[in-house]
Structures are given as C-alpha cells and as structure tokens.
Amino acid sequence: MFRTGVARWTMTYFGAAFVSFAVAQALIALGLAYPSAPLFAPWTFVAVHLITIGWLTVLILGALRQFVPVITATQPEGDAVAGWALVAIDIGLLAMVAGFVALGGNVPWAASPWLPLGGALVIAGVVADTVIIARPIWRTRPLPLPARFVAAALAFLWVTVLLGLCLALAVARPGTLPPDRVARLLVDGLPLHLLAGIGGWFTLTAMGVGYKLLAMFTLAPEHRGALGDWSFRLSAGGLALAAVAGCVTIAAPAGGAAGPAVLVLERAGWLAAAVGVALYLVDMRKLYAERRRRELELNGRFAAWALVALGAGLALLVAAALAGQGTGWAGPLGYVFLFGWLSGLSLSQLYKIVPFLTWLERFGSKLGKGPVPRVQDLVDEPRARPWFVLYFAAVGVGAATGFAGLDGAWRACSVLSLAASLAIGRELWRIRHSPPPPAAPSVPRG
Amino acid sequence: MTSEPLTLDVRDDLRQGREPLPKIMAAVKQLQPGQSLRLLTTFEPIPLFHVMAHKGFRHEARRLGEGDWEVLFIPSGAEGAEPGAAAPAGTPADGAAKPGASGGTAAEDEPWPAPARTLDNRGLMPPEPMVRVLEALESLKDGEVLEVFNDREPMFLLPELEQRGYAVRMEKLDSGVRLHIRRKKVTPR
C-alpha cells in the first residue's frame, strides 16, 4: 500500500457501485422495469434507485473521498467512517428495493416499514460520508472552482435524500402525513427530488470533477476565468432558486396554491441553470481547444462524448419545456442524463482513476529506486475502446428510440449497453488484478 | 519584522479526543504578518503540513521525547519569484523570518544553499512530475537542494517526501508552485 493519500475503501465503493449499475440495466433489459413497465411502476423505482443511489451516488462519494483532498491540498481522512457509510447506504438501498417491490403487491411483506427504514439508513450513510468529504472543503476556503461545484452539490445531495425520505413516507405510510400534504408531495415533491438529484447533486459534481480532471489530464489551463465563474454561479444559483421555489410550493398552506411570483422564480431558476450549463459546455470546448496535450487518452476522448450527451439533454429539456411536454418526455430525458451524461462520464473517468490509483498503490514506494512501469502500461486502450463506442452508441440509439416511442428497440439497446458496461467492468478488473507489466526503462522526459 | 512565535499547545485537546483544528486555525488568524506559529502536539501532524503549506507556511518539526512534537510554522516571505521563468531562480525560497528564541530546529533554520539541480515539470501530465522528482532525489547528495517547478501542488508527492525523510519548502507562483527539497538533517540531541 502506498504511503500517500490514497483513500481506503475507494475501490470498494467503485466495485459496489458497478454491481448496482449492472443489476439496474439487467432489470431494464429483462423487461421488468421502464420502458417495458410504466414510469411509476415499482420495478422502475427499483431500477432508478439502483442507478441513482447504488451506482452514481456511491461512485461519486467514493471518488470524492479521493478527489477532494487533491483539490483542497489535504490528506484523505475518515477511512473508518467511509467503510461503515458504504455498508449503511447499500443495506438501506436493499431495504428500499424490498419496499418498492412490496408496492406492487404479490410479496408476503409490506412496503410500509421498508421504504422509510431503508431511506433512513441511506441518509445515515450519506450524511456520514458528506461530513468527512465536506470538512476539508470547509477548511480550505476560499475554494477553487471545482471545489465550489462539489460544495454546492453536497448541499443538493442532502436536499435530495431528505425529500426522498418524505416521499417514502408519503408513499408507504400516508397516514403519518395530512392527506392534502401527501398529494402535494407526490405532485410537486417528485419533480423537486429529480431536480435536486440529477441537476444539483450529480450534474454539479460531474461539472466540477470534469473541470479538474480533464484540465489535469489534457494539460489545459485550470483557471477558467469569468466563463467558469459564471457557469458555476448560474447553474448552482439557478438550481437553488428553482429548489427554493419548489419547497415554497410544497409548503404552501393546504388548499392554497403558491402565488404566481413563486412560479416566475422557479422558471427563472431553471432558465439560469440552463444558461449556466450551456456556458459550461462552451468552456469545456474551450478547455479541449486550449489543451497542450494534443493526443487524447481514452478518458479524455469519451468524456467529450458524455459532454455531447449533456448538451443534447439540455437542448431536449429546453425543447420539452417550450413544447409543454411535461411528463411525456420524462423517461427518455432522464435516460439521456443518467446513462449518456452521468454514467458515460463516470465510465470514462474510471478508466483513468482506477489505473492511476492502482499504479500509486503498487509502485509509488518504488519510485526513484528502480524502473517502474508507466500508468498507461496498466491499460489496454485498443481493447477497451470498442466497448466504450458500443456503450455510447447503444445509449444514443436507445434514447432516440425512446423519444420515438419504440420501446422494444429501446430495450434491445439496453441489452447492448449492459454488455458494454460489463466488458468495461472487466477491463477495470484486469487493470486492478493483472500481474504487473514489465517496468519501463525510464520515464520519457516530456 | 520578526516577532516571537505564537505558541499553541494542543496536547491536552488531543489526549481528550477533541478536534484541535479549529483552535489551530483561530491561532493562524491571530498571527501578525511575518509571525511564526509554534505548535505542540502529541504526534507529527502530517496532514496539517499540507493545510499550512496551502496557506503559505513552511514547517519545521522535531520530536520532543515521550511522543510529543514541536512544529514551527514559518510564513513564506513574499519575495516574488519571476513567474514562468524557466531558468532556476538563484535564491532559495527562504524569505521566511528566522524563528525567535524558541529552541527551534537549528538545523533547518539557516538559509538553504542554492539549488544543485532544477527540474521543470510544467506541462507534464500526472504522475510524471512525481516520478521525475523521486528519481532526481536519488542522485542528490546530502545537503544539496533540488528545485522543482510544478503546475500544481504535488498532492501525492508531499507525504511520500515526508516519509522518505526530505524537507520541503514550497512557494506558490502565478504559474504553479516552486519546491525546494533536500534531505532532512538529523538534529543532534
């Protein structure tokens, strides 16, 4: 084990996350969940939460424990807490799955205890993890740009899980809340839960991590200037405004509706966030253009594909808002964000993070004392590349068939994306577990 | 402009399991310009070294016996190096005030000699800067200083240098950081 700041449990988080990712895609491929089942069907809830909690949240929390020390120049801390937090999150997720399945009936247990219980366990794990991640951020103010994104994202993570717990109570134990509040929660709370989760927690984190990692590994300037600042202010501020307006709507007195001013605020928030994300995409294009390392490695190349998915998702979201497509496009739109942008970016960056950490652990202490292999000697990009192409192609075609209403074709695409994910998982496994490659004669003097 | 270092003893806090960091950060805020912080702890606070380096302090640590440590955090003087100058700056990054009569580690107090060798790692992708520094250090003679220009603080390198017994003086530049590294002197006790 290398003696420097490699956070313990990070790889365990990645492994656990990957299992959830595969199971969720298998549910879709087998026709148990959306699009074969309705969007609000129990098995769809299972698949969605396996993706959002089991895959993306666990993956990001594991990565942040390693990543925040790098952007705040501190050492990773809280190893013991992180181990227990992962156990709490995954056991909580299993309980939630049991609760969702029970919503559909046909099982000999009730949803009522399992959903809130599972949700509470997930919250306990998430709170523990966010505390150990947020402490170094808090200590190193004023924050660099990527850390500002992460700090805002952590706040949205709390909003997301707390709302999720309220929703779990509304669905599983409606008796605990006033009847009109239950209806209000389900109608207005669910979109807010999605906004805070996909927009606030996942997308803001991915934006911040993208800024730092892609600048580091393509040798582009890290200081993004006014464009980066405004991309942060508008996206995080706009989402916060929309979230506050949403909370006001939910908390409005029974029978009364929130006033038109609240609706205007909410729309202004959405618009600002859309402009912020658009500025980010412009800045990312600039970052790629300014990079000093012309030859892109696999992670840089496919991160660009994920950014294209973010741009497409944003354009479709705006189009849906203009066309008044409320929930009609919700499924395919969510798919573009969760599978194209977030999972696509995650898979591509894992292909850099896993070999980097593996190399540090294996060879860090041998550096300078004899020849060691290079990080790139641990990977086989030509072998992995076709699977990344297949993954993004399957998700792209899948989304198109989803918007066209061809659910059978969409499901077929999910079989392909599952196969590609499993193959990428196998590549990551090989990076971790293959015998060490021969040592490079010496490091190229760049 | 040297004043007596501000002394802060957090050994009792640590023994009672209290988090000493807020107290330490409050003490840092109280420091006069150019004033050092003398910290007494029950262990070598390696993570704190990075936090303080980030705030522009270099450190000198010594064991006091019975497991206690004395760490002197010395503010780096703002002697502006030429940002982006690829040529080695002739003077070591030692604009720091001399510690007062604090019984500091005399071995590391004096100005360091001019660098025996300079590495410019700017424009190299991680982890190459780290590999080059650790390789270069192997060929360094005792007492010699290696100067390194990096795009960013080498997060994985700093604890490794600490482990391998090297002292580091780091300075932020407009175009990244400049490090001076040499083997720690063993203070005769």
Side-chain angles (χ1 to χ4, degrees):
Chain A
M1 185 73 194
F2 192 44
R3 297 171 296 201
T4 66
V6 177
R8 217 170 142 218
W9 301 116
T10 288
M11 288 296 168
T12 317
Y13 272 66
F14 291 172
F18 227 96
V19 171
S20 289
F21 188 42
V23 173
Q25 289 185 88
L27 291 178
I28 298 168
L30 291 168
L32 282 167
Y34 185 83
S36 310
L39 195 55
F40 294 104
W43 281 105
T44 305
F45 284 140
V46 171
V48 165
H49 287 85
L50 281 170
I51 292 283
T52 52
I53 299 175
W55 160 237
L56 291 171
T57 296
V58 167
L59 179 82
I60 292 173
L61 287 173
L64 285 182
R65 287 206 55 243
Q66 189 60 70
F67 179 77
V68 164
V70 172
I71 47 177
T72 55
T74 55
Q75 284 298 297
E77 50 185 85
D79 280 337
V81 175
W84 286 110
L86 177 61
V87 171
I89 292 171
D90 272 345
I91 289 181
L93 179 61
L94 276 176
M96 282 175 70
V97 167
F100 284 129
V101 173
L103 288 177
N106 307 326
V107 287
W109 67 85
S112 53
W114 293 109
L115 270 179
L117 184 73
L121 266 176
V122 168
I123 288 183
V126 160
V127 167
D129 262 337
T130 48
V131 166
I132 53 176
I133 290 166
R135 265 173 40 185
I137 295 182
W138 182 252
R139 286 202 301 255
T140 42
R141 288 160 300 142
L143 297 177
L145 185 65
R148 274 184 274 160
F149 274 102
V150 172
L154 290 174
F156 277 106
L157 170 60
W158 283 42
V159 173
T160 310
V161 292
L162 288 171
L163 255 173
L165 188 61
C166 293
L167 286 165
L169 284 169
V171 171
R173 305 187 76 121
T176 52
L177 300 161
D180 59 305
R181 198 58 55 193
V182 170
R184 177 77 40 99
L185 257 176
L186 293 178
V187 172
D188 297 316
L190 192 61
L192 185 56
H193 183 59
L194 286 171
L195 160 94
I198 296 181
W201 163 228
F202 294 139
T203 293
L204 290 179
T205 307
M207 285 162 84
V209 171
Y211 261 145
K212 178 75 184 185
L213 279 187
L214 293 169
M216 255 170 84
F217 289 116
T218 63
L219 297 178
E222 281 190 28
H223 297 288
R224 304 309 310 164
L227 203 51
D229 286 340
W230 280 103
S231 133
F232 169 71
R233 286 176 197 145
L234 289 170
S235 55
L239 286 168
L241 193 63
V244 168
C247 287
V248 170
T249 308
I250 295 170
V262 175
L263 199 63
V264 170
L265 275 185
E266 190 170 9
R267 290 196 174 153
W270 275 104
L271 184 66
V275 173
V277 173
L279 287 180
Y280 175 77
L281 288 166
V282 170
D283 199 23
M284 270 294 162
R285 222 185 130 187
K286 195 161 152 257
L287 184 146
Y288 270 83
E290 288 169 344
R291 73 181 192 272
R292 275 173 294 162
R293 189 189 173 87
R294 300 316 299 173
E295 187 58 36
L296 282 175
E297 289 178 345
L298 185 145
N299 69 306
R301 182 178 315 219
F302 287 105
W305 291 33
L307 288 164
V308 168
L310 173 63
L314 182 69
L316 289 162
L317 197 61
V318 172
L322 293 175
Q325 282 279 0
T327 51
W329 285 10
L333 254 177
Y335 181 80
V336 170
F337 276 99
L338 289 173
F339 282 86
W341 157 232
L342 296 162
S343 301
L345 186 76
S346 300
L347 290 172
S348 64
Q349 295 319 293
L350 277 175
Y351 200 78
K352 185 73 202 182
I353 297 168
V354 169
F356 193 89
L357 293 181
T358 304
W359 178 88
L360 268 180
E361 286 173 13
R362 279 194 189 178
F363 307 110
S365 52
K366 299 184 182 136
L367 290 178
K369 295 172 181 173
V372 293
R374 294 181 306 258
V375 176
Q376 281 308 87
D377 294 336
L378 270 62
V379 302
D380 187 343
E381 287 197 2
R383 197 175 57 198
R385 200 172 299 127
W387 296 112
F388 277 92
V389 172
L390 176 65
Y391 176 83
F392 279 101
V395 169
V397 175
T401 53
F403 280 107
L406 305 168
D407 290 350
W410 191 2
R411 200 179 126 194
C413 288
S414 73
V415 175
L416 292 177
S417 74
L418 170 63
S421 309
L422 290 173
I424 292 167
R426 188 189 55 188
E427 290 301 316
L428 295 171
W429 179 267
R430 281 175 168 168
I431 290 167
R432 286 292 291 166
H433 299 282
S434 293
S442 74
V443 176
R445 300 278 176 240
Chain B
M1 282 302 295
T2 311
S3 49
E4 284 288 305
L6 177 70
T7 296
L8 177 66
D9 188 345
V10 293
R11 287 174 296 187
D12 277 350
D13 297 80
L14 288 164
R15 287 187 188 111
Q16 288 166 27
R18 283 198 297 267
E19 170 60 56
L21 203 83
K23 215 181 231 186
I24 297 169
M25 290 298 132
V28 171
K29 284 205 177 81
Q30 286 176 16
L31 292 176
Q32 304 297 321
Q35 190 183 14
S36 301
L37 174 69
R38 179 169 162 260
L39 183 71
L40 299 166
T41 69
T42 54
F43 66 97
E44 189 179 18
I46 292 175
L48 184 63
F49 297 161
H50 304 302
V51 174
M52 293 295 284
H54 207 69
K55 293 185 176 291
F57 288 80
R58 61 186 182 85
H59 69 271
E60 290 164 5
R62 77 182 178 124
R63 202 186 290 273
L64 297 173
E66 295 186 25
D68 290 355
W69 285 77
E70 176 194 65
V71 187
L72 197 64
F73 289 106
I74 303 155
S76 302
E79 35 95 75
E82 281 301 309
T91 52
D94 186 36
K98 291 272 184 295
S102 64
T105 46
E108 297 295 354
D109 283 349
E110 76 274 10
W112 287 11
R117 188 176 161 192
T118 296
L119 268 186
D120 191 348
N121 286 334
R122 284 170 297 199
L124 288 182
M125 205 175 77
E128 277 175 42
M130 174 167 127
V131 176
R132 297 180 75 205
V133 169
L134 291 173
E135 279 183 351
L137 285 173
E138 290 301 313
S139 59
L140 211 64
K141 295 183 183 68
D142 262 6
E144 285 187 336
V145 173
L146 173 70
E147 178 175 57
V148 181
F149 290 92
N150 256 18
D151 281 321
R152 62 185 65 83
E153 276 180 62
M155 282 318 302
F156 291 99
L157 174 68
L158 293 174
E160 186 64 17
L161 291 175
E162 189 65 43
Q163 289 279 1
R164 293 185 184 199
Y166 287 96
V168 182
R169 291 180 177 182
M170 184 161 60
E171 190 186 9
K172 281 191 172 319
L173 310 173
D174 286 352
S175 62
V177 291
R178 181 173 63 173
L179 303 138
H180 280 208
I181 309 168
R182 75 169 183 184
R183 191 167 283 289
K184 278 183 190 164
K185 289 189 179 177
V186 182
T187 316
R189 297 207 50 84

